[in-house]
Amino acid sequence: MFVPTEDRIRIITAIDHMQQEATRLLKTGKAIVLVPTMGYLHEGHLALMRKGRKHGDALIVSIFVNPTQFGPAEDLQTYPRDLDRDVSLAESVGVDVVFAPEAEAMYDKAHQTYVDLETLPLYLCGLSRPSHFRGVATVVAKLFNIVRPHVAVFGEKDYQQLVIIRRMVRDLNFDIRIIGVPIAREPDGLAMSSRNTYLSENERPSALSLLQALQQAQRSVAQGIRDAGQLIHEASELICSYPYTKIDYVTVCDPKALENVDRVEGPTLMALAVWVGKTRLIDNAILKPSED
Ligand code: AMP
């Protein structure tokens, strides 16, 4: 079937081309939506794009494995990549532009400006990944300046990231609406992630312990348990009962400030990071005590 050129997805790699395209779109009154990703797309990413499609005229997806958010011992080199497959998946959900810059162009040799938040990166994933959120906030700020979106869409799977981006947008006065999208899961309940591809068949059942621990905590809260220590203990026991697991953290905290709480009195975040073999998985859920 013949597809007219202007209807087809475009791939832009040069930063100045992306900026020119953003200027052109803005001049014609188009509302730009940005979905930042590191690629190796799955249904979770596509859910963000479908949501984004509804909130603007031009849907731009960035695919960039951002080196500054990886620690020295992390998986930057081995992170899965497949741009051709990503482009066809993006096209299937109506993406207009894939922006896939080179790392050397995003961070030239003399780069020295970073976005650092004061307390939000000190909790949860920030404890074992001390420079991670500095890298995330910096790259997202750069993408906002390059793409100039009206709306940007992020997943609740990376809950701390979403809280940090919302804070950064307020603190730095980006005129951008941030939309959060619920966690997309595999049929067996595992939160979708590009890193799930690292899991072996033997490790897979252990990976399900994260959701099981969250569901157990939700049941306990529904039965009246309010003590955060007890909920954390129950979750940790469940996770450790599976082979290959090693807990990074199990936390019960305030969903906005991310500070630990002792008791579940209102909507409270339970967030988990667990190593399953060599794969670090995260998941989270809001625990809600009943009103009565
Ligand atoms: P990543 O490519 O892993 O950096 O993720 C890009 C965006 O997709 C982030 O906003 C993530 O929170 C979001 N995302 C990744 N996995 C999921 C998922 N299973 N459900 C919802 N959003 C997700």
Side-chain angles (χ1 to χ4, degrees):
M1 192 183 76
F2 173 71
V3 183
T5 323
E6 58 271 26
D7 286 347
R8 283 174 64 180
I9 191 165
R10 273 166 317 131
I11 305 162
I12 297 180
T13 51
I15 293 172
D16 56 348
H17 289 174
M18 187 64 249
Q19 285 176 312
Q20 285 155 17
E21 177 62 8
T23 303
R24 189 185 71 79
L25 289 166
L26 293 172
K27 271 197 190 136
T28 55
K30 296 268 201 293
I32 300 177
V33 179
L34 172 65
V35 180
T37 81
M38 297 207 299
Y40 212 69
L41 302 180
H42 51 67
E43 255 315 304
H45 295 116
L46 300 186
L48 268 57
M49 295 172 203
R50 288 192 196 97
K51 182 82 174 177
R53 186 70 276 170
K54 296 191 183 129
H55 286 271
D57 313 302
L59 179 56
I60 299 178
V61 168
S62 60
I63 296 184
F64 181 57
V65 182
N66 173 36
T68 62
Q69 69 189 68
F70 287 77
E74 292 181 359
D75 56 345
L76 173 62
Q77 301 308 328
T78 52
Y79 195 85
R81 293 163 166 90
D82 188 343
L83 187 60
D84 289 344
R85 180 173 160 276
D86 287 350
V87 169
S88 16
L89 284 171
E91 186 160 35
S92 74
V93 291
V95 170
D96 298 296
V97 175
V98 166
F99 174 49
E102 298 290 338
E104 296 71 25
M106 287 290 273
Y107 299 101
D108 71 42
K109 284 202 178 74
H111 184 97
Q112 52 179 298
T113 308
Y114 291 88
V115 178
D116 250 323
L117 287 87
E118 298 217 343
T119 62
L120 290 172
L122 301 179
Y123 305 104
L124 307 173
C125 291
L127 291 169
S128 58
R129 307 185 76 191
S131 58
H132 175 67
F133 291 110
R134 177 189 199 239
V136 169
T138 301
V139 80
V140 171
K142 284 166 72 67
L143 290 168
F144 284 175
N145 283 327
I146 296 166
V147 176
R148 280 179 291 153
H150 297 76
V151 172
V153 189
F154 293 85
E156 289 174 2
K157 162 143 184 294
D158 298 272
Y159 190 97
Q160 186 174 17
Q161 169 173 286
L162 179 56
V163 171
I164 283 174
I165 299 301
R166 285 193 198 282
R167 188 68 253 168
M168 178 187 80
V169 161
R170 293 184 69 160
D171 289 350
L172 299 184
N173 306 99
F174 282 106
D175 189 9
I176 298 172
R177 180 171 165 211
I178 303 299
I179 296 180
V181 173
I183 300 174
R185 298 183 179 280
E186 302 286 355
D188 60 8
L190 178 63
M192 288 184 173
S193 165
S194 307
R195 289 191 170 99
N196 289 352
T197 174
Y198 299 154
L199 292 168
S200 72
E201 215 174 292
N202 291 343
E203 290 167 344
R204 182 82 190 199
S206 303
L208 301 183
S209 65
L210 282 83
L211 178 62
Q212 286 170 12
L214 293 168
Q215 288 171 333
Q216 172 179 265
Q218 281 169 328
R219 281 196 301 273
S220 294
V221 169
Q223 285 161 14
I225 293 171
R226 296 285 175 267
D227 182 58
Q230 182 175 343
L231 294 167
I232 292 169
H233 177 73
E234 286 175 3
S236 307
E237 278 208 319
L238 188 149
I239 293 164
C240 292
S241 72
Y242 282 86
Y244 314 114
T245 57
K246 192 165 138 274
I247 291 174
D248 180 354
Y249 63 78
V250 174
T251 301
V252 174
C253 65
D254 179 276
K256 290 212 172 79
L258 306 181
E259 286 160 355
N260 290 350
V261 295
D262 294 332
R263 294 185 58 77
V264 177
E265 301 297 1
T268 303
L269 179 72
M270 179 178 252
L272 316 172
V274 177
W275 288 93
V276 177
K278 291 193 161 66
T279 311
R280 186 174 174 280
L281 302 175
I282 57 172
D283 206 338
N284 68 79
I286 297 289
L287 308 176
K288 282 193 195 123
S290 54
E291 310 280 288
D292 41 308

